Amino acid sequence: MPDTDETGTLTVARNAHRAIADLGLPFDVGTRPHISLSVGIAATVPALGSDPSSFLQTANHALQKAQQMGGDRLFPSS
């Protein structure tokens, strides 16, 4: 999300997480009765010409941590 720092990104993620939970959509696969949301949160100010792969790796690592911790949660990278 352009022009959004990690605090702002966390706020958006919390709102999305809450909105998904509030829907209560049934999900009969796995350990949860409803669809849940796991989010890995990362923020950066890219330098001109920088390679986004490092940032994407950081975000992916945060998502993996959220999932490893049982899912249905947010995990900030810092």
Side-chain angles (χ1 to χ4, degrees), residues 4-28:
T4 308
D5 62 10
E6 191 166 0
T7 301
T9 304
L10 185 57
T11 298
V12 170
R14 281 185 181 136
N15 290 340
H17 186 261
R18 188 175 309 114
I20 295 294
D22 288 349
L23 289 173
L25 299 172
F27 185 67
D28 59 357

Side-chain angles (χ1 to χ4, degrees), residues 27-64:
F27 185 67
D28 59 357
V29 177
T31 59
R32 290 190 175 79
H34 298 97
I35 289 177
S36 64
L37 180 67
S38 296
V39 181
I41 300 166
T44 190
V45 177
L48 185 62
S50 63
D51 179 8
S53 62
S54 176
F55 170 71
L56 294 174
Q57 184 177 5
T58 299
N60 188 51
H61 179 71
L63 173 58
Q64 290 174 357

